[in-house]
Amino acid sequence: EIASCLVGSEMCIRDRKRLRTLLVGGVALALVYLAALFVLSWALEGVVERRVNRQLAYTLRANDISVDSVDVSLIRGRVAVRGVKAKRTGLGTATLTMNVIEIDIAPMGWALIAQEPSRLEVVGAHLDLSAAGAVTLQSSEVVRQLSVERFIMRDSRVTLAVTSLFPGLGRAELTIDEARASDVELHNAMSWLYKTETLNAGLHLPGSVELIVAYADKTLSVGGSLMGSKPIVIPFSWPNPDPTKLELSQILSLAKHLIKTCLLYTSPSPR
């Protein structure tokens, strides 16, 4: 009995040593993996910045692009791009600034395999265009499109002026308080709009015309100085975009669809 107890104790000691070795090895591998992810995150910051520059250079034909900072964390699954500025001068001016772009990716390095982000949020985007600048915007068909599960835009503005020489003349401005879209294929700067689920925005047109636009549950509400005391509430579905068209053509097609829908539900029916 004493001999059997000694043999059992020796086996327990060997098992504990093996377990301790496995634990130490596992911890060491985890630390090496985390360290590798940290180094890769630092290396990918330059890749992200170059991709942002390439996208803006093509879409806006921008000749002056700068980014304040890029933070990539493969461990937390977060990419943050801050202080984006892009400007084009020449035939029509176009200026784009974005305070923050936040992108959620798969954490703990899984983003290296599953590269599509789950969330993209843009805060403080301001796009100022002259009429000629809007006409010369390109489509982004040669740049790889980005698939996003959830897209959010806050506190943003798009301004269109008839001429850059007199920016106050014929000025139209769209202010977006918040917009949310899902299952978006970002092939250009406006493609998220066609997948919008909720939208709160204001439209300021020449002649002191102001419209308040809200969209939710496939219902569009338009109020303001032209709509009287009560806003117009109509069912509305976003049309399917044509990714081969220029962004301005897409905007004009969307505007025509919106006007046609509003006229259909607001015009008196013939007797």
Side-chain angles (χ1 to χ4, degrees):
E1 292 182 0
I2 296 174
S4 62
C5 289
L6 290 174
V7 171
S9 299
E10 185 178 355
M11 293 178 63
C12 291
I13 292 172
R14 286 202 304 268
D15 290 341
R16 283 198 296 269
K17 288 183 178 180
R18 290 172 183 169
L19 180 60
R20 187 180 301 112
T21 302
L22 289 174
L23 288 175
V24 172
V27 171
L29 286 175
L31 291 176
V32 170
Y33 180 68
L34 292 177
L37 289 181
F38 181 80
V39 174
L40 278 174
S41 298
W42 175 78
L44 286 174
E45 290 177 357
V47 176
V48 172
E49 182 173 351
R50 286 193 295 272
R51 183 171 179 182
V52 171
N53 290 347
R54 187 170 65 250
Q55 179 74 51
L56 293 176
Y58 185 79
T59 303
L60 291 178
R61 291 185 185 176
N63 46 30
D64 184 8
I65 304 172
S66 64
V67 176
D68 288 346
S69 66
V70 177
D71 296 320
V72 178
S73 175
L74 293 175
I75 298 175
R76 293 191 301 122
R78 178 68 58 84
V79 177
V81 184
R82 297 181 176 85
V84 178
K85 301 180 182 68
K87 186 175 182 179
R88 186 197 60 226
T89 57
L91 179 58
T93 60
T95 303
L96 173 66
T97 61
M98 290 181 282
N99 293 342
V100 181
I101 304 173
E102 288 188 353
I103 305 172
D104 286 347
I105 56 178
M108 299 305 296
W110 282 105
L112 298 174
I113 301 174
Q115 297 183 1
E116 302 299 346
S118 59
R119 181 184 70 95
L120 190 151
E121 182 170 347
V122 179
V123 179
H126 298 158
L127 177 60
D128 296 307
L129 295 168
S130 66
V135 169
T136 52
L137 281 180
Q138 294 194 33
S139 66
S140 307
E141 55 186 347
V142 300
V143 181
R144 191 177 77 89
Q145 67 183 22
L146 182 66
S147 300
V148 182
E149 292 180 12
R150 291 179 295 132
F151 178 89
I152 304 171
M153 179 174 286
R154 305 179 193 272
D155 302 327
S156 299
R157 182 190 72 225
V158 178
T159 303
L160 177 62
V162 173
T163 172
S164 58
L165 297 177
F166 304 99
L169 179 64
R171 181 187 181 96
E173 182 174 278
L174 173 67
T175 58
I176 300 173
D177 296 330
E178 182 179 88
R180 292 177 178 267
S182 61
D183 299 327
V184 176
E185 298 289 339
L186 289 173
H187 47 77
N188 62 44
M190 298 302 299
S191 53
W192 61 269
L193 189 59
Y194 297 88
K195 293 291 187 176
T196 299
E197 295 180 339
T198 62
L199 172 66
N200 292 294
L203 182 60
H204 308 274
L205 301 174
S208 301
V209 176
E210 295 187 3
L211 298 176
I212 300 174
V213 180
Y215 180 79
D217 299 326
K218 295 185 178 181
T219 301
L220 181 67
S221 173
V222 181
S225 56
L226 294 179
M227 303 303 166
S229 58
K230 292 184 178 180
I232 298 174
V233 180
I234 57 176
F236 182 79
S237 297
W238 301 100
N240 293 322
D242 184 355
T244 63
K245 288 185 176 181
L246 298 178
E247 293 180 349
L248 182 62
S249 299
Q250 293 186 11
I251 295 172
L252 293 176
S253 299
L254 180 59
K256 291 178 181 178
H257 177 72
L258 177 60
I259 293 172
K260 183 178 179 180
T261 304
C262 290
L263 291 176
L264 178 65
Y265 284 92
T266 56
S267 298
S269 59
R271 295 183 180 180

